[in-house]
Amino acid sequence: MKFTAGHFDIIVIGAGHAGCEAGLVAARMGYKTGVFAISLDSIAMLACNPSIGGTSKGHLVREIDALGGQIGINADETLIQMKMLNTAKGPAVHSLRAQADKNLYHGAMKRTLERQENLWLREGEVVEILTEGESVRGVRLSTGEIYTARAVILASGVYLKSKIYIGEYARNSGPSGMFPANELSKSLKDLGFQLRRFKTGTPARVNKNSIDFSKTIVQPGDSEIIPFSFTNLTIEREQVPCHLTYTNEKTHEIIRENIHRSPMYSGQIGGTGARYCPSIEDKIVRFPDKDSHQIFLEPEGITTDEIYVPGLSTSLPIDVQMAMYRTVKGLENVDIIRPGYAIEYDCIDPLVLKQTLESKNVSGLFFAGQINGSSGYEEAAGQGLIAGVNAVKYIEEEPPLILDRSQAYIGVLIDDLTTKGTNEPYRMMTSRAEYRLLLRQDNADMRLTEIGYNMGIIDENRYDRYMKKKENIAGEIKRLKGVYIAPTERVLEYLDKKQSARIKSGISLYDLLKRPEIEYTDIEKLEERKSSLNRQEIEQIQVGIKYEGYIEKQMRQAEQFKKMERRLIPEDLDYKKVHGLRIEASQKLDSIRPISIGQASRISGVSPADISVLLIHLEKMHRNGSQ
């Protein structure tokens, strides 16, 4: 029986990483928000690797935190190991990665949602999105309740008609044994959305007590824990080590002999898998000459003895999984607690979305996370936050929040999805960001905190701390430019010790710090003074000075990019009337409806010549007074 059970300003379908951020930001902006999940035990579930961050993903976490999101705070609270990746490379690709306790992470996020003012949790399966005309008006649950809403955010993750595969065995199931959402796909189709099937997978979980760690290589955390969140200056915690081992020819032989039993190669799975996170059988097929592959052993937390085994993701039958796992050094007697599996699910083509993540066809309906064809907790969380903010802006009839490619990795992510689309699960990578030296993880707060504050998500206390940090950095840079040191015997001896060129006359500390071999700590020693600045402030000063020339060059490039972004295209432009535009370009432009020349130039199938034609047409419109 159908009945109206209540009303919310904003309804969020799903309580994974996208749904949590969407619900929290909408509630924090003052709107009555309902977050619906098939099971409240799945809130912020780390269904795959219990880790947050990593290469480029750490950038996303820092950006979400700078905008007032929760994922970084939650990771700091529940981490059991922290590492800064890519430290041998430049600062643009330095990325934090936390191994988290999966149970504590879920619990911490659930408490955050439960205690958030303006937010109501509901357990139930949403089976229909209700519309009136071309606008959303609410949802219907499988148990009959109807909840009305002014905006709806769909953040269903991998649950839509999800199916688990383990060898020849298959069943309709969400991740980790959760119920799938079998009916909502039909509602989306009825609304005109074309769905497609994507696939992801996970390795087995094994019992820690069955592993011989003496045969593996210890992977400790960093000696100093650097937090994700701006709210934490330091974290003091005993860290749990991870371990490294390798596959071998025996492992590969077992896989090759049984490859026909993998649902990926038997034809059972029709969905497209993630290129950058392949299964072990896919690695063996794609890289037949490789003698071994890295296998990590990562604890799922201090509250369990389960070990996650990244590098051995598989959907092979359980007997094959047991045989191949036991060929790996240290895993000779391993006990598999949960088998690895592949999961196939429905998702949309993100080209049907505006850059706000709102549907182009159903007003007030937003999409975030893996439903948009992306993969990863961090990618989902970033989309969730933006969808939450823009659902509020939709209700308020205010301009939306759109981060461009020169502002944030989140901007790159959403622009890629909504402008270029994706034919496989999309994963964020530093190489996707043209202005990555400007989009470093260390300056995410400087780039985005004021936006979060102006949106009403960042509170006064945090904003005051940010402003103090900004003043400290500016003040110290000014001081370093004004303080000179002379070529005294002590200074020359110190420079010799650092294998740095001697100075013949006075030099500013600012110019001295530009030298690759000189660190800020060296400046302190030369001055014989201890700075009152904290680690975050020193890091930004040092990077800003050492890479000043490169940063200025990218800023000039970004300004040229912004000029193209500011050249807006009328929403109702008839591309068929643009003389000289190729048919393919006309069709692509009409389908995607870019908001600017910049966005139009990034659409696959639109050439530089097409952009020139479009610019000429817009200029004619402007002269004729029709723009």
Side-chain angles (χ1 to χ4, degrees):
M1 184 180 71
K2 299 178 183 179
F3 66 98
T4 302
H7 173 79
F8 292 102
D9 294 316
I10 296 169
I11 284 175
V12 180
I13 304 171
H17 305 281
C20 287
E21 297 294 349
L24 286 169
V25 74
R28 288 167 179 170
M29 292 177 77
Y31 285 81
K32 185 178 180 181
T33 304
V35 177
F36 290 76
I38 290 179
S39 171
L40 297 186
D41 292 333
S42 67
I43 290 175
M45 183 170 66
L46 300 173
C48 199
N49 195 344
S51 69
I52 301 294
T55 302
S56 77
K57 293 169 178 280
H59 292 67
L60 289 170
V61 176
R62 280 276 177 86
E63 291 179 351
I64 295 164
D65 180 72
L67 289 165
Q70 193 66 30
I71 188 172
I73 295 171
N74 219 47
D76 286 349
E77 182 180 340
T78 61
L79 68 86
I80 60 175
Q81 186 190 99
M82 183 69 90
K83 294 193 80 164
M84 183 70 77
L85 306 182
N86 300 326
T87 53
K89 301 178 181 178
V93 296
H94 292 180
S95 297
L96 272 178
R97 181 185 186 274
Q99 192 72 17
D101 185 301
K102 68 182 303 179
N103 296 323
L104 295 179
Y105 189 94
H106 154 75
M109 190 66 84
K110 185 169 183 285
R111 285 193 304 275
T112 300
L113 294 173
E114 290 168 340
R115 297 171 185 177
Q116 177 61 51
E117 186 180 0
N118 299 321
L119 190 150
W120 283 262
L121 278 175
R122 292 287 185 271
E123 184 170 273
E125 181 186 355
V126 173
V127 295
E128 185 179 5
I129 295 169
L130 306 175
T131 59
E132 189 172 292
E134 295 182 349
S135 299
V136 74
R137 72 175 183 90
V139 301
R140 177 174 65 85
L141 272 61
S142 59
T143 42
E145 304 102 304
I146 288 175
Y147 288 89
T148 57
R150 300 160 73 183
V152 172
I153 302 169
L154 180 54
S156 53
V158 300
Y159 283 81
L160 293 190
K161 297 188 76 173
S162 52
K163 194 169 186 178
I164 294 289
Y165 294 88
I166 305 173
E168 298 88 353
Y169 171 78
R171 72 173 187 272
N172 293 322
S173 173
S176 300
M178 293 291 174
F179 288 114
N182 287 327
E183 295 186 50
L184 191 54
S185 290
K186 180 180 182 302
S187 178
L188 289 173
K189 288 180 179 178
D190 290 343
L191 291 173
F193 292 96
Q194 292 185 348
L195 302 182
R196 49 194 183 164
R197 300 288 278 177
F198 274 4
K199 177 200 79 74
T200 186
T202 187
R205 273 65 164 182
V206 302
N207 191 323
K208 178 177 75 174
N209 303 303
S210 66
I211 299 172
D212 185 350
F213 288 106
S214 68
K215 296 181 179 180
T216 65
I217 304 166
V218 179
Q219 303 287 295
D222 291 342
S223 56
E224 177 188 7
I225 296 177
I226 297 175
F228 272 119
S229 179
F230 179 79
T231 60
N232 297 315
L233 278 177
T234 58
I235 296 175
E236 296 293 335
R237 190 173 308 160
E238 184 177 353
Q239 298 187 67
V240 178
C242 297
H243 294 79
L244 172 67
T245 184
Y246 292 87
T247 62
N248 52 59
E249 182 51 38
K250 182 62 177 175
T251 318
H252 302 179
E253 181 183 335
I254 290 172
I255 294 169
R256 285 192 292 266
E257 289 174 351
N258 291 277
I259 197 72
H260 62 285
R261 299 180 65 191
S262 167
M264 288 178 57
Y265 291 93
S266 66
Q268 281 181 277
I269 294 178
T272 304
R275 179 195 308 239
Y276 303 104
C277 190
S279 66
I280 185 63
E281 52 263 42
D282 202 20
K283 290 180 188 176
I284 300 308
V285 171
R286 286 164 56 184
F287 309 107
D289 298 330
K290 195 158 185 179
D291 296 331
S292 64
H293 295 275
Q294 283 188 334
I295 303 299
F296 288 93
L297 304 172
E298 300 182 337
E300 296 230 312
I302 57 174
T303 56
T304 176
D305 281 344
E306 289 185 64
I307 298 290
Y308 183 84
V309 193
L312 273 180
S313 177
T314 184
S315 58
L316 284 163
I318 293 178
D319 61 308
V320 181
Q321 291 188 36
M322 291 175 64
M324 73 172 183
Y325 269 62
R326 289 175 179 170
T327 64
V328 176
K329 188 176 290 188
L331 305 184
E332 292 86 352
N333 299 300
V334 76
D335 176 30
I336 293 179
I337 298 176
R338 308 182 199 226
Y341 61 83
I343 183 168
E344 197 177 36
Y345 55 93
D346 283 350
C347 60
I348 66 166
D349 183 344
L351 290 177
V352 302
L353 303 179
K354 302 176 184 177
Q355 287 187 308
T356 61
L357 296 180
E358 182 187 11
S359 164
K360 294 175 182 176
N361 301 322
V362 181
S363 297
L365 177 59
F366 294 79
F367 292 76
Q370 287 183 266
I371 181 69
N372 291 343
S374 64
S375 68
Y377 312 140
E378 303 82 2
E379 289 90 339
Q383 293 173 67
L385 186 141
I386 298 299
V389 169
N390 285 331
V392 168
K393 294 301 179 183
Y394 167 81
I395 291 172
E396 294 177 339
E397 298 183 356
E398 292 287 332
L401 173 61
I402 298 176
L403 300 174
D404 69 43
R405 302 180 73 89
S406 68
Q407 284 180 290
Y409 270 77
I410 295 174
V412 175
L413 162 67
I414 294 175
D415 185 65
D416 277 353
L417 289 173
T418 60
T419 302
K420 302 175 182 178
T422 182
N423 294 319
E424 60 188 36
Y426 177 99
R427 179 177 180 174
M428 192 70 246
M429 295 182 290
T430 54
S431 60
R432 297 189 191 273
E434 304 93 316
Y435 310 107
R436 54 186 173 272
L437 193 53
L438 302 181
L439 307 183
R440 306 183 312 274
Q441 58 147 19
D442 66 87
N443 70 353
D445 53 344
M446 292 296 181
R447 290 184 277 118
L448 301 172
T449 297
E450 292 192 38
I451 294 174
Y453 177 71
N454 292 332
M455 294 285 173
I457 316 167
I458 298 291
D459 61 34
E460 290 289 343
N461 180 56
R462 176 165 173 173
Y463 186 69
D464 288 344
R465 281 184 53 201
Y466 156 75
M467 290 300 294
K468 180 63 176 174
K469 175 182 177 180
K470 192 174 179 180
E471 291 169 9
N472 288 346
I473 291 172
E476 179 63 358
I477 289 174
K478 182 178 179 181
R479 190 191 75 83
L480 291 171
K481 287 181 176 180
V483 175
Y484 284 73
I485 58 169
T488 64
E489 185 176 342
R490 187 182 71 85
V491 168
L492 295 177
E493 285 180 357
Y494 191 89
L495 293 176
D496 289 343
K497 181 180 176 183
K498 295 292 296 185
Q499 295 185 322
S500 187
R502 287 189 165 204
I503 56 175
K504 296 180 180 179
S505 59
I507 185 174
S508 72
L509 296 178
Y510 184 91
D511 287 332
L512 190 61
L513 191 51
K514 283 185 176 181
R515 297 183 177 189
E517 67 278 4
I518 300 296
E519 303 291 323
Y520 189 86
T521 51
D522 297 314
I523 298 296
E524 289 180 307
K525 291 174 183 176
L526 287 169
E527 280 197 286
E528 296 183 312
R529 86 185 266 277
K530 181 66 177 175
S531 174
S532 60
L533 300 175
N534 62 42
R535 181 198 53 77
Q536 295 175 346
E537 293 164 345
I538 290 172
E539 180 182 15
Q540 286 188 24
I541 289 168
Q542 187 160 279
V543 172
I545 292 174
K546 288 187 179 298
Y547 291 86
E548 180 183 37
Y550 299 103
I551 291 171
E552 288 179 351
K553 181 179 179 180
Q554 282 215 338
M555 288 177 70
R556 290 193 296 271
Q557 293 170 342
E559 186 52 42
Q560 291 299 314
F561 159 80
K562 286 178 181 291
K563 286 181 181 179
M564 298 290 277
E565 298 300 300
R566 289 193 288 264
R567 191 71 169 89
L568 301 181
I569 300 173
E571 290 183 18
D572 59 351
L573 180 64
D574 187 349
Y575 291 100
K576 296 184 183 70
K577 294 182 178 179
V578 180
H579 179 70
L581 202 60
R582 293 178 308 113
I583 294 175
E584 180 188 8
S586 177
Q587 291 173 342
K588 289 285 185 70
L589 290 164
D590 186 60
S591 172
I592 295 173
R593 310 299 305 179
I595 62 174
S596 70
I597 288 294
Q599 186 186 6
S601 69
R602 295 188 294 276
I603 296 173
S604 174
V606 177
S607 70
D610 295 319
I611 295 299
S612 296
V613 168
L614 190 56
L615 282 168
I616 292 169
H617 183 82
L618 292 176
E619 182 60 29
K620 287 180 179 178
M621 289 178 63
H622 179 71
R623 289 176 182 174
N624 294 334
S626 58
Q627 183 182 4

